[in-house]
């Protein structure tokens, strides 16, 4: 069954229990959800329960749900909660109608106030002496009045005061339990819909292991969870039998009765009555004419409440049968404290614990047959019972802790980690310091950790612990002396000893209420249970992180896979291509090198020479792949990849992915051979690093080339395997990066604590000039920023990247590589060993000469080093996190862009500066930063953040200093600057991306959002610069007309929208229109190419031109031009 099924069933049952329909729709439940839980990347952002929570098991997490369900037999018992009954809404509507009919201004204001606050926010009270009619009172005020009225009263006065409060807020005028609080509680805590809401939560949260307390509808709950795939016993277990129906003397052999069951459910007992308290009250209710809950019209047997463990049966097997342990009772512990026994007995016990040993199924070969224990129990309640809890946990730990296997202990402990009672004011029998309380002693004695440790460490002043219980007993209670008792605590706990199997991880569903020092922070409208939460406890959902190490690759396996792929691909190119034979020459020696590097004898110098020559050949290939130096030859593997791109017709194709993977596998195999212990001892220099870096670049290319949206695409290697290969390569090139390797192994899924350590390691690598930056840059692309990081983490990563770029830690390509063969012929007059600056200047000069030149070859279109490509990829991943603007990362990007553009435009001697500082010329850095920022902003979500302005001005700066104006749209417009030193085709590509991004912003935010930035930053002048740059390109250059298309689309959006109702927008639009109608601008805008019939690009070019001419603006300008 789907979550929607259980939600619908629960709501139907709630309607039958007279909960008003106003409180049963999704909109209301979303509001209530946000009172209890923070936003989670694992849930839908708008309606958190729209779909189930994302499962993270495949991402190496183990999700545990801890939850006290509130037994059916224990309610109703006066739980205070906002009023949602049909009676309350009807009464409110009648009252509001009377106020409106009175016609008095003060009554109208009162009606408006109540209507604005909502039905849940107030209650009715009987008038005080002298008041003749029923009055309303805010719900929170009523609750606080109850607490204050009862606090500090001696026990002898509490009963009378509680009855007075009942008369005031919950009078039963008919004698049939019709008080407003009584009717409301019965409506909200009806067991039929509460249990269904529990199952609904389970279906939403998708835990792997579940630990419940206060379960007294075990048979029904087990049957429903079975349909969701959860088990509570082995597949061959006998039918479940309630404790009361099992053989044996109840009090004398309770342990024997427990072990008769093969189900992981430990019912409570009552040493006085022979039954649990919940069962006692439920049987009494039925005897007095009440009824037991019916589910699906069926009566289920009355049972004792207790603790239960469930697990995903598709992921785990239970080993053996569940284990049970009876805990000492309060009387047993008191007898021990009085010295009547050497240790607490269990003859008067109420509670028991249950434990199961679970084993992973063969879903993942890395986890197969791993085992761990899960235990759950429920400790004695009351602040005066801390000594009893200490003894119960001591008894439990002595018998079950330190098992030698990983352990998870999940319990409702009824106490907090920081409990202390040194002055015995809370009723303790002895002074109890915090470090010796029940939970601290349990952790210390058994080497356990709490999932809440970070809230009780040195960071307590920064992070307040969450609240798992927020409840109060109101005047509907049958025990008037307990009215006003409230609990705002963290008493639900998960302890663990992960050993080798798992680590702490993080809370999958973060709780919103926090236990601050200010009681005024409490939200009284979030009291539980309520129409959303079926219990007085919140569910604790924890994702433990499994320590799953990715397997490492042997070089011969990589070579074999590469050879198979190459055999499939070479059929797509000409079979007489000599490069195919050259590539085939790699396989056999590399395969042998992988074998010999492990087995060779130290005296086999001939073998060492053969391996050395093999790696030297790969080192030459690697230099070409990395683009680190000028080469008059070309890479065989690079040539094969480019031929495959040409043969398949599009870059993001399956063949492109596979050809990139062939390169990745071969270079990785060579890197592993070079890193072998025998080879590594004899090879010095940069050969190993160069090969490894080339392997990393090819792996990153493969990840980028994978066409995930192509339904016909078949992945040869999973993304996880490629990240694992990068982990192996990172360890080769830099053994001192454990956190980076771990991030790769975990597919980028890190806890918040791990993120801090990882970013520190990345920062060290990016700042150190002696260590390669590649692992740090690649891992920034790998991290799942949306799920694992905060806005602060994202901003820190952006800052480190931009500092590395601006400080020169990221190497730039100062000279382009020219390959031999056809490309050299295409270049015509361009010398083969010319610098990038000189080459581009010559190309521009040739273009300006009026002679038709061929399109700029790929070698000169943003050719980048590996580090440059990896940095762009990393920033794009950061922008896609959804937090680029929240932590300050967006501002850092824009500041860097401002700075570099200013340096490039204000420098009159760029080459002299570059030689003096051993750095690339400023225009090279600015051009790269511009591409980097645009790449990031293209991936940014939400795109609406680009129209938000910010101003930064240091208070101690001189007034004459220019302040930073950070409006993303304005900075994008300002970035449409032509660098005279750069190539026109290269810039046309960048301009096209900027214009496409501006079009996207106008489409999402409305064209009016761009009118002011366009005028403020002289946008029409920038567009004219773009058109002038485009005019330098050949008529047949597709990139020229693609950029032309984006420019026309932007102007069409800005000038063809109706803004006549907004005088300011109309004036701005007129200003832009006037500028575009100037002769020079208009001439450039209306230029069109001369079509060459039969040209291979004529079809694509004609489609672009048709689209341009169909814009309304172009049609208007054409008509005006014809008239002129």
């Amino acid at each position: 069954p789907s979550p929607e099924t259980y939600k619908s069933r629960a709501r139907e049952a709630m309607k039958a229990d007279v909960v008003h329909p106003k409180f049963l729709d999704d909109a209301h439940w979303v509001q209530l959800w946000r009172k209890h839980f923070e936003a989670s990347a694992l849930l839908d952002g708008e309606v958190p329960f729209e779909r189930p929570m994302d499962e993270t098991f495949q991402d190496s997490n183990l999700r545990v749900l801890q939850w006290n369900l509130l037994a059916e037999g224990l309610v109703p018992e006066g739980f205070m909660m906002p009023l949602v009954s049909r009676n309350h809404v009807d009464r409110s509507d009648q009252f509001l109608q009377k106020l409106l009919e009175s016609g008095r201004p003060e009554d109208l204001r009162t009606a408006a106030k109540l209507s604005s606050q909502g039905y849940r926010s107030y209650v009715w009270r009987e008038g005080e002496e002298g008041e003749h009619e029923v009055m309303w009172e805010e719900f929170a005020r009523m609750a606080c009045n109850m607490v204050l009225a009862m606090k500090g009263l001696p026990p002898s006065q509490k009963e009378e005061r509680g009855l007075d409060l009942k008369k005031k807020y919950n009078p039963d005028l008919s004698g049939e339990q019709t008080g407003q609080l009584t009717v409301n509680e019965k409506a909200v805590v009806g067991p039929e819909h509460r249990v269904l809401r529990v199952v609904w939560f389970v279906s939403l949260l998708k835990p792997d292991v579940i630990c419940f307390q206060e379960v007294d509808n075990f048979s029904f709950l087990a049957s429903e969870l079975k349909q969701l795939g959860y088990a509570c016993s082995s597949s061959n277990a006998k039918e479940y039998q309630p404790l009361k129906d099992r053989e044996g003397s109840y009090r004398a052999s309770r342990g024997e009765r427990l072990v008769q069951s093969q189900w992981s459910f430990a019912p409570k007992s009552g040493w006085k009555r022979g039954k649990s308290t919940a069962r006692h009250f439920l049987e009494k209710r039925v005897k007095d004419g009440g009824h037991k809950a019916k589910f699906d019209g069926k009566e289920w047997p009355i049972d004792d409440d207790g603790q239960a463990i469930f697990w995903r049966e598709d992921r785990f097997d239970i080993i053996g049968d569940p284990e049970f342990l009876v805990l000492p009772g309060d009387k047993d512990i008191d007898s021990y404290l009085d010295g009547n026994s050497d240790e607490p007995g269990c003859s008067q016990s109420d509670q028991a614990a249950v434990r199961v040993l679970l084993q992973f199924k063969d879903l993942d070969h890395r986890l197969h047959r791993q085992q761990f224990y899960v235990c759950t129990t429920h400790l004695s309640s009351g602040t005066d019972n801390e000594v009893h809890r200490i003894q119960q946990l001591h008894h439990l730990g002595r018998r079950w802790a330190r098992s030698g296997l990983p352990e998870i202990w999940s319990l409702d402990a009824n106490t907090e980690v920081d409990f202390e009672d040194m002055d015995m004011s809370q009723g303790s029998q002895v002074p109890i310091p915090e470090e010796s309380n029940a939970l601290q002693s349990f952790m210390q004695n058994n080497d356990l950790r709490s999932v809440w440790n970070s809230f009780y460490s040195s960071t307590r002043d920064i992070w307040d612990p969450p609240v798992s219980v927020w409840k109060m007993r109101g005047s509907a209670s049958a025990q008037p002396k307990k009215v006003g008792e409230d609990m705002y605590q963290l008493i639900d706990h998960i302890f663990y000893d992960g050993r080798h199997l798992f680590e702490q991880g993080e809370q999958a569903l973060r709780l919103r209420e926090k236990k601050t020092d200010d009681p005024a922070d409490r939200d009284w409208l979030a009291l539980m249970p309520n129409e959303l939460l079926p219990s007085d406890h919140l569910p604790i959902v924890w994702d433990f992180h499994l320590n799953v190490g990715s397997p490492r690759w042997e070089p011969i396996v990589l070579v074999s896979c590469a050879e198979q792929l190459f055999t499939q691909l070479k059929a797509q190119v000409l079979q007489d291509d000599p490069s195919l034979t050259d590539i085939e020459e790699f396989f056999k020696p590399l395969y042998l090198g992988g074998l010999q590097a492990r087995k060779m004898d130290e005296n086999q110098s001939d073998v060492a020479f053969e391996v050395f020559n093999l790696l030297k050949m790969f080192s030459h290939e690697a230099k070409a792949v990395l683009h680190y130096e000028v080469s008059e030859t070309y890479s065989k593997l690079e040539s094969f990849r480019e031929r495959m791109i040409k043969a398949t017709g599009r870059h993001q194709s399956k063949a492109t992915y596979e050809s990139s993977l062939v390169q990745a596998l071969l270079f990785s195999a060579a890197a592993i051979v070079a890193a072998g212990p025998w080879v590594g001892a004899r090879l010095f220099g940069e050969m190993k690093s160069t090969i490894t870096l080339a392997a990393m670049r090819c792996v990153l290319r493969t990840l980028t080339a994978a066409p995930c949206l192509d339904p016909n695409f078949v992945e040869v290697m999973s993304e996880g395997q490629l990240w694992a290969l990068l982990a192996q390569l990172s360890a080769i090139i830099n053994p001192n990066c454990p956190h980076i390797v771990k991030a790769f192994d975990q597919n980028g899924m890190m806890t918040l604590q791990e993120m801090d350590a990882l970013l520190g390691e990345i920062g060290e690598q990016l700042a150190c000039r002696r260590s390669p930056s590649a692992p740090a840059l690649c891992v920034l692309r790998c991290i799942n920023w949306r799920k694992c990081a905060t806005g602060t983490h994202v901003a820190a990563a952006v800052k480190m990247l931009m500092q590395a770029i601006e400080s020169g830690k990221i190497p730039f390509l100062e000279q382009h590589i020219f390959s031999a063969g056809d490309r050299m012929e295409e270049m015509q007059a361009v010398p083969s060993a010319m610098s990038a600056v000189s080459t581009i200047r010559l190309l521009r000069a040739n273009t300006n000469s009026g002679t038709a030149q061929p399109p700029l070859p790929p070698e000169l279109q943003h050719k980048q080093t590996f580090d440059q490509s990896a940095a762009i990829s990393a920033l794009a991943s950061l922008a896609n996190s959804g937090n680029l603007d929240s932590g300050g990362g967006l501002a850092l990007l824009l500041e860097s862009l401002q700075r570099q553009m200013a340096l490039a435009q204000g420098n009159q001697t760029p080459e002299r500066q570059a030689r003096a500082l051993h750095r690339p010329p400023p225009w090279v850095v600015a051009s790269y930063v511009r591409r980097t920022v645009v790449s990031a902003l293209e991936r940014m979500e939400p795109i609406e953040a680009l129209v938000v302005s910010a101003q930064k001005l240091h208070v101690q700066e001189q007034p004459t200093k220019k302040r930073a104006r950070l409006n993303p749209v304005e900075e994008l417009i300002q970035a449409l600057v032509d660098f005279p030193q750069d190539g026109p085709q290269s810039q046309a590509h960048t301009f096209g991306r900027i214009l496409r991004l501006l079009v996207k912003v106008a489409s999402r935010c409305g064209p009016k959002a761009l009118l002011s930035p366009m005028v403020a930053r002289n946008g029409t002048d920038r567009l004219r610069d773009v058109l002038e740059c485009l005019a330098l390109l050949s008529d047949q250059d597709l990139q020229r007309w693609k950029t032309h298309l984006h420019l026309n689309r932007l102007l069409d959006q800005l000038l063809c929208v109706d803004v006549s109702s907004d005088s300011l927008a109309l004036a701005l639009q007129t200003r832009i229109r006037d500028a575009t109608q100037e002769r020079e601008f208009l001439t450039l805008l209306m230029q069109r190419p001369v079509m060459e019939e039969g040209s291979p690009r004529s079809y694509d070019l004609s489609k672009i031109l048709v689209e341009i001419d169909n814009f309304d603006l172009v049609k208007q300008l054409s008509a005006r031009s014809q008239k002129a």
Side-chain angles (χ1 to χ4, degrees), residues 612 615-616 619 674 683-692:
F612 178 82
L615 297 178
K616 186 177 180 181
S619 178
L683 294 179
F684 299 94
E686 299 182 356
M687 184 181 293
K688 181 177 69 173
S689 295
T690 303
I691 296 172
T692 308

Side-chain angles (χ1 to χ4, degrees), residues 185-440:
E185 184 185 14
K186 286 182 177 180
V188 173
V189 302
E192 288 87 351
H193 54 76
R194 278 204 307 115
V195 177
L196 288 173
R197 280 185 280 156
V198 167
V199 182
W200 175 63
F201 265 95
V202 171
S203 67
L204 279 175
L205 301 176
K206 295 285 189 179
D208 298 306
V209 177
I210 303 171
C211 295
F212 285 146
Q213 297 83 40
E214 289 194 22
V215 177
D216 60 352
N217 281 292
F218 174 74
S219 296
F220 174 73
L221 190 60
S223 68
E224 290 295 323
L225 292 181
K226 177 72 174 177
Q227 297 182 57
L228 294 177
Y230 291 92
C232 193
S233 67
S234 61
S235 58
N236 58 355
K238 298 177 181 178
E239 185 179 353
Y240 172 72
Q241 194 175 32
L243 187 67
K244 60 187 177 66
D245 298 331
R246 300 174 197 171
E247 298 178 357
S249 170
Y250 193 96
R251 295 180 184 177
S253 58
R254 185 183 175 219
E256 294 177 6
R257 282 176 159 242
L258 285 173
V259 299
Q260 289 178 27
S261 174
Q262 295 177 302
W263 297 75
S264 54
F265 173 56
K268 299 178 186 176
S269 66
W271 69 274
K272 289 182 178 179
R273 305 187 185 99
K275 64 183 74 171
S276 68
T277 302
R279 177 182 152 205
H280 167 72
F281 283 127
L282 189 54
E283 289 178 340
K284 184 176 183 299
R285 186 186 310 157
V286 172
K287 183 178 179 180
D288 294 341
H291 70 279
K292 169 75 174 69
K294 293 182 180 181
F295 301 101
D296 299 328
K298 176 183 175 182
E299 289 190 6
W300 295 76
I302 294 178
D303 200 352
D304 294 285
D305 76 294
Q307 296 69 250
I309 302 174
F310 295 86
W311 57 90
R312 288 279 295 266
E313 58 182 349
D314 62 330
R315 294 177 179 169
F316 309 103
D317 287 318
I318 182 173
I319 304 300
D321 289 330
E323 300 176 73
F324 300 94
L325 184 65
V326 178
L327 301 184
D330 292 346
K331 295 291 184 182
D332 296 316
I333 295 170
D334 289 339
S335 178
Y336 161 73
L337 294 176
D338 292 338
N340 298 326
S341 60
D342 294 334
E343 62 179 28
C346 299
S347 61
Q348 301 182 66
S349 171
D350 291 324
Q351 296 282 8
V354 58
R355 179 172 77 160
V356 295
L357 178 59
L358 299 180
Q359 177 174 285
F360 284 89
K361 288 189 173 181
D362 191 14
L363 294 175
D364 189 324
H365 66 276
R366 301 170 298 182
L367 292 171
H368 185 40
R369 297 190 183 280
Q370 292 279 6
Q371 298 179 356
F372 62 100
Y373 276 112
V374 180
C375 172
T376 188
T377 191
H378 191 178
L379 303 183
S380 297
S381 62
T383 56
D384 57 344
N385 269 335
E386 186 69 7
V387 169
H388 293 169
R389 290 187 286 268
I390 291 173
Q391 296 302 320
Q392 288 173 336
L393 287 177
H394 181 68
H395 178 81
L396 188 62
R398 279 202 307 164
R399 282 157 178 77
W400 280 356
R402 298 175 182 266
S403 64
L405 287 174
E407 301 168 352
I408 295 174
W409 302 74
S410 181
L411 59 153
D412 175 358
N414 273 311
T415 188
E416 297 185 284
V417 173
D418 59 350
F419 177 89
E420 68 175 0
D421 190 13
M422 290 297 294
D423 57 1
M424 297 187 288
S425 61
Q426 300 188 60
S428 299
Q429 301 180 35
V430 295
I432 301 177
E434 179 179 331
E435 59 271 16
S436 299
N437 66 29
L439 301 183
Q440 296 281 5

Side-chain angles (χ1 to χ4, degrees), residues 728-986:
Q728 190 170 356
L729 295 170
S730 297
I732 289 174
I733 201 169
N734 189 348
N736 300 316
C737 56
H739 298 291
I740 290 176
V741 171
K742 184 176 183 179
F744 282 131
D745 278 333
Q746 296 177 176
N747 289 3
M749 296 297 295
M750 306 289 282
T751 65
L752 293 178
Q753 294 85 352
E754 291 170 340
M755 280 296 301
D756 295 337
L758 175 61
L759 287 176
E761 192 169 275
I762 292 172
E764 290 176 4
Q765 287 210 11
L766 291 178
C768 178
R769 293 185 178 274
R770 292 188 301 273
S771 62
S773 304
L777 295 172
C778 288
V779 83
L780 287 172
R781 163 68 174 80
C782 174
I783 295 169
N784 191 323
W785 295 99
R786 185 174 291 273
K787 292 184 178 180
C788 304
T790 64
T792 305
H793 288 134
V794 171
V798 170
K799 185 175 183 179
M800 289 187 289
L801 274 171
M802 300 315 294
Q803 285 179 343
I805 292 170
E806 296 185 54
S807 65
K809 182 61 170 64
I810 302 294
F812 282 74
L813 188 67
E814 296 188 38
Q815 290 178 302
H816 293 277
I817 301 173
F818 297 100
S819 301
D822 296 336
R823 300 191 193 86
M824 288 300 299
E825 295 175 4
E826 291 176 3
M827 293 294 296
Q828 295 185 354
V830 180
S832 60
M834 184 173 288
S835 70
V837 175
S838 301
T839 301
I840 293 172
R841 281 182 175 171
L842 179 59
L843 286 168
R844 180 179 283 276
N846 286 347
T847 305
N848 288 333
S849 68
T851 306
Q853 297 294 324
L856 198 65
E859 284 74 17
L860 293 178
Q861 295 181 33
H862 298 326
K863 206 68 172 182
Q864 298 173 151
T865 63
F866 174 29
D867 301 72
Q868 286 179 284
S869 300
I872 288 180
S873 181
L875 279 168
S877 181
L878 287 161
N880 199 36
S881 67
N883 280 322
L884 183 65
D885 61 320
S886 64
L890 178 60
L892 290 170
L893 276 179
L894 298 177
E895 287 172 359
S896 178
L897 179 62
Q898 276 186 350
R899 195 161 46 246
Q900 296 305 321
M901 296 285 288
L903 286 173
Q905 291 176 286
N907 197 308
Q908 303 299 320
T909 56
E911 291 188 68
R912 182 180 180 85
Q913 181 188 26
R915 286 195 297 271
L917 302 179
H918 299 286
R919 295 283 308 281
W923 69 265
V924 173
V925 180
S927 179
Y928 173 69
V929 169
R930 179 170 63 180
R931 296 198 304 273
T932 300
V933 172
V934 172
S935 297
L937 298 187
E938 284 177 330
R939 297 282 300 278
M940 183 174 170
E941 288 293 339
I943 197 70
E944 291 80 4
L946 295 182
V947 298
V948 179
S949 299
Q951 290 186 345
K952 292 188 175 183
L953 177 64
H954 198 288
V955 294
Q956 295 181 353
E957 283 183 351
Q958 296 295 325
T960 56
K961 286 193 175 183
K962 183 180 179 182
R963 62 182 180 181
R965 298 180 61 219
L966 298 175
N967 180 301
V969 168
E970 289 188 16
E971 299 307 320
L972 284 172
I973 294 171
Q974 193 67 16
L976 293 169
V977 174
D978 180 22
F979 292 130
Q981 305 93 333
D982 205 348
Q985 192 173 37
S986 171

